[in-house]
Amino acid sequence: MKRLLGRDVNEQHRGRQTRDGIRIHETEDFAGMHKAGELAARILDAMAEHIHPGQTTGELDRIIEEMVNDAGAKSATIGYKGYRHASCISVNHVVCHGIPGSKLPKWKNDTHPRTDDTLKDGDILNIDVTVIVDGWYGDTSRMYVAGTPKPYAVRLMQVTHDSLMKGIEAVRPGNTFGDIGHAIQTYVEEQKMSVVRDFCGHGLGRVFHAPPNVLHYGRPGTGPVLEEGMFFTIEPMVNLGRPETKVLADEWTAVTRDKSLSAQFEHSIGVTADGAEIFTLSPAGRFHPTWG
Ligand code: MF3
Ligand code: CO
Ligand code: CO
């Protein structure tokens, strides 16, 4: 996801762009996004069997990088703003941009400090992968569990997943980005959880992060109007506690300020004539795994 600061330079000038700087893609571009999205989703499918207590996030990232290379694709994150890994892996109260292989920060319910990047029983984690295939970007993330999750962690992951799907249901030409944010926010807050404001989804296509900022909260009817041919991510981060985040000294890892548990799911989608095409659907039907 994208911090609500700055924006990447959009160097592609093919086709049309709205007054908000949102690119309108051609019908044939959907195939390119589909291919990129499918690879990212297939990599996430394959990760499920590698996750267990005792596994390290460094090893998970190594497997991901190998899969990207074996597919003849490119990692979008290696070399991105100095980032050096093929994934972000965000454990427990890490909201996003967790660095694989780095020592896990201690969260509220840890009884002992963490000494390295080893997963423990009951940890929940988000794995976020972005690949480039034939110049198109596929960006997706989902949640996993090491061992047996706590019931409140399952609830959090379920609500986060469902909030993404409610956001996607609001996607159709004529609706607005505010409608998407509103659908996510109202659902999450009804469940007495909170939506992170400091990070958002983003346009993508032949670039990683393009306009608009896709907010996961908002008011109906506000923001740019959705048009067929827009490509963007929706990637709500939901906290069990308060929504505030802070970035650790490594300048990447974002955590909840109150050290409460956080979850995230992300799809890359395209606006069609009557709804949305999800580019990052799980080929194995595993986007929403069954827990515990
Ligand atoms: N994949 C993230 C997103 O959803 C971005 C990660 S950028 C990185 O937008 F440099 F942290 F990898
Ligand atoms: Co993203
Ligand atoms: Co992502």
Side-chain angles (χ1 to χ4, degrees), residues 219-270:
R219 283 177 293 115
T222 63
V225 177
L226 295 165
E227 290 182 46
E228 186 176 356
M230 289 179 175
F231 296 165
F232 54 89
T233 72
I234 307 180
E235 45 183 305
M237 287 139 277
V238 175
N239 300 344
L240 274 184
R242 294 192 50 82
E244 291 81 8
T245 69
K246 69 172 181 194
V247 176
L248 299 183
D250 61 26
E251 293 183 353
W252 282 104
T253 311
V255 297
T256 55
R257 277 192 178 269
D258 64 4
K259 292 194 166 64
S260 70
L261 217 52
S262 187
Q264 179 179 30
F265 282 84
E266 172 176 26
H267 270 315
S268 297
I269 67 171

Side-chain angles (χ1 to χ4, degrees), residues 10-79:
N10 187 345
E11 67 276 73
Q12 297 292 326
H13 292 289
R14 205 162 85 82
R16 189 163 75 80
Q17 199 168 297
T18 67
R19 50 191 296 169
D20 304 292
I22 307 170
R23 184 151 299 284
I24 305 300
H25 297 86
E26 310 293 331
T27 309
E28 57 269 27
D29 297 341
F30 280 73
M33 287 299 285
H34 179 91
K35 230 176 127 186
E38 184 173 75
L39 174 63
R42 193 158 58 73
I43 292 170
L44 290 188
D45 281 351
M47 296 318 290
E49 65 176 289
H50 296 290
I51 291 163
H52 49 80
Q55 177 62 285
T56 65
T57 60
E59 171 65 6
L60 294 172
D61 185 70
R62 193 197 59 72
I63 297 167
I64 292 167
E65 184 171 351
E66 191 171 275
M67 286 194 74
V68 174
N69 293 335
D70 288 353
K74 254 193 69 169
S75 163
T77 53
I78 296 174

